[in-house]
Amino acid sequence: MSANTIRKAKKLVESGGVVKIEEDLFQIKSSSDPEKSYFVTSDTCECPGFKNFYKFHHGKGLKANCSHLEAIRIFKENPD
Ligand SMILES: [Zn+2]
């Protein structure tokens, strides 16, 4: 995963862009469009980056990632 993805993810968490809705359901603001937000679980995301990952890396056995999934990971490590 790129350093840029991690930087974006940290920014999302620090700016309060991650809201926990249920045990494994989060709403995360889009970093490119503040009017937009995505529903994200610990391994799926609605954002175009996540969907495109499988388009571009289809069949390679890789697990998709995006700044939102990474943001959840950081959010869980830093509960406050
Ligand atoms: Zn995403």
Side-chain angles (χ1 to χ4, degrees), residues 7-27:
R7 200 163 49 231
K8 262 206 239 167
K10 277 189 183 151
K11 221 178 146 189
L12 280 168
V13 176
E14 282 163 9
S15 64
V18 180
V19 178
K20 187 174 180 176
I21 294 176
E22 279 173 32
E23 195 45 46
D24 192 29
L25 181 64
F26 298 82
Q27 188 171 13

Side-chain angles (χ1 to χ4, degrees), residues 38 40 45-50 65-69:
Y38 300 113
V40 189
C45 182
E46 298 181 314
C47 79
F50 184 86
N65 209 329
C66 65
S67 54
H68 311 110
L69 289 181

Side-chain angles (χ1 to χ4, degrees), residues 30-50:
S30 164
S31 45
S32 54
D33 182 356
E35 299 289 300
K36 229 172 163 177
S37 64
Y38 300 113
F39 287 105
V40 189
T41 71
S42 55
D43 59 3
T44 63
C45 182
E46 298 181 314
C47 79
F50 184 86

